[in-house]
Amino acid sequence: MQSLPENEIVESILSAIAEQRLPAGTKLGEQTLSDLFGCNRANVRRALATLAAQHVVELRPNRGAFVMTPSPKEARDVFQARRAIERTIARAAAGQASPEDIRFLRQNIREEAEARDARDKPAELRASRDFHMRIAQVADNEVLDRFLSELTMRSTLILGLYARHGTSSCAEDEHARIVDALERGDSDEMVALTDSHLRHLEADLDFDAQPRAATLQDQLAPRRAPSQNA
């Protein structure tokens, strides 16, 4: 069954945000998106409404749609929410991981490190997000999984906008220690390591950072086919 145009637009924009190809503040012009995806503006408006509901796009009256630019307070709120949710996930996941889960996570750590060494930022960011989402899958709580999916996307926007080193990502040794605790079933250690890891990411934020510019044509057109899930 062929994907609806609005679904393709949503997936492409989410992928671009998740890989920090589409930074905060980028204008999402209806006509530009219509031309890029070969669809009508009604499809575009439905896609933008979906993205606004996920808190990654802002619809400004008489100005149009823009990739969300989180304020410093919103950034702190997102990380506070992530810590609360991921601590709960960590406690639920401890001792529940299968050998396949552990293999996936250790391979994920290697892939993230290889992407970092190769300066492949999109691949590094995908691996980092996949790590956190796999642990949420191990915890087996669909509601928390959905919340975390949105929060990790919003975190990527925040890190792309405010991280001191341009595009912050997760530290390899921190992820490795989390997997060790997960495999041992040490729930207290899992919670402590997860909390410390997220605080480390938040501590790297610089709220005086200036946003960088990007265009839809440059950032979406090359990635349109095939569409990727965020």
Side-chain angles (χ1 to χ4, degrees), residues 188-210:
D188 289 341
E189 184 71 0
M190 272 282 290
V191 171
L193 288 170
T194 298
D195 185 82
S196 175
H197 174 51
L198 293 172
R199 289 182 186 278
H200 173 256
L201 287 177
E202 186 178 2
D204 194 48
L205 301 180
D206 174 9
F207 294 117
D208 293 324
Q210 296 298 314

Side-chain angles (χ1 to χ4, degrees), residues 67-89:
V67 176
M68 186 72 76
T69 301
S71 68
K73 182 182 185 306
E74 288 168 335
R76 296 187 185 97
D77 287 349
V78 166
F79 273 92
Q80 182 181 33
R82 271 197 71 173
R83 289 196 301 275
I85 286 174
E86 292 206 57
R87 284 196 300 262
T88 301
I89 287 171

Side-chain angles (χ1 to χ4, degrees), residues 172-190:
E172 180 181 355
D173 60 334
E174 291 180 356
H175 275 184
R177 291 198 296 272
I178 289 171
V179 177
D180 290 342
L182 176 66
E183 188 172 26
R184 291 196 306 271
D186 189 336
S187 60
D188 289 341
E189 184 71 0
M190 272 282 290

Side-chain angles (χ1 to χ4, degrees), residues 2-222:
Q2 188 174 9
S3 175
L4 294 173
E6 50 262 43
N7 293 341
E8 187 176 2
I9 295 169
V10 168
E11 290 173 0
S12 294
I13 290 176
L14 287 176
S15 290
I17 290 173
E19 296 174 2
Q20 292 184 349
R21 291 184 283 111
L22 202 58
T26 303
K27 183 174 176 60
L28 303 172
E30 286 187 10
Q31 189 59 55
T32 301
L33 287 168
S34 177
D35 293 342
L36 281 171
F37 290 91
C39 63
N40 60 51
R41 293 177 70 158
N43 296 123
V44 173
R45 285 191 286 271
R46 285 193 290 270
L48 294 175
T50 297
L51 292 162
Q54 297 182 39
H55 305 288
V56 294
V57 165
E58 179 183 8
L59 303 178
R60 302 178 188 172
N62 304 317
R63 294 189 61 193
F66 297 80
V67 176
M68 186 72 76
T69 301
S71 68
K73 182 182 185 306
E74 288 168 335
R76 296 187 185 97
D77 287 349
V78 166
F79 273 92
Q80 182 181 33
R82 271 197 71 173
R83 289 196 301 275
I85 286 174
E86 292 206 57
R87 284 196 300 262
T88 301
I89 287 171
R91 190 169 296 282
Q96 302 302 313
S98 68
E100 180 183 355
D101 292 322
I102 299 300
R103 284 194 297 271
F104 175 93
L105 290 166
R106 295 203 187 281
Q107 178 61 27
N108 171 276
I109 292 169
R110 289 190 290 270
E111 290 174 356
E112 184 179 357
E114 290 168 0
R116 185 182 300 113
D117 292 342
R119 299 183 183 276
D120 185 346
K121 180 55 65 175
E124 183 184 352
L125 289 163
R126 284 195 301 272
S128 177
R129 189 165 185 258
D130 286 348
F131 179 90
H132 290 267
M133 295 309 302
R134 182 61 172 243
I135 292 177
Q137 290 174 21
V138 172
D140 195 25
N141 184 315
E142 292 183 3
V143 176
L144 291 177
D145 190 291
R146 287 198 300 272
F147 286 155
L148 184 60
S149 180
E150 177 184 315
L151 287 170
T152 53
M153 187 69 65
R154 295 174 72 179
S155 299
T156 300
L157 267 179
I158 291 164
L159 291 167
L161 181 62
Y162 293 121
R164 285 192 177 89
H165 303 107
T167 50
S168 182
S169 56
C170 296
E172 180 181 355
D173 60 334
E174 291 180 356
H175 275 184
R177 291 198 296 272
I178 289 171
V179 177
D180 290 342
L182 176 66
E183 188 172 26
R184 291 196 306 271
D186 189 336
S187 60
D188 289 341
E189 184 71 0
M190 272 282 290
V191 171
L193 288 170
T194 298
D195 185 82
S196 175
H197 174 51
L198 293 172
R199 289 182 186 278
H200 173 256
L201 287 177
E202 186 178 2
D204 194 48
L205 301 180
D206 174 9
F207 294 117
D208 293 324
Q210 296 298 314
R212 60 188 177 88
T215 66
L216 291 179
Q217 292 92 333
D218 290 343
Q219 304 306 327
L220 292 184

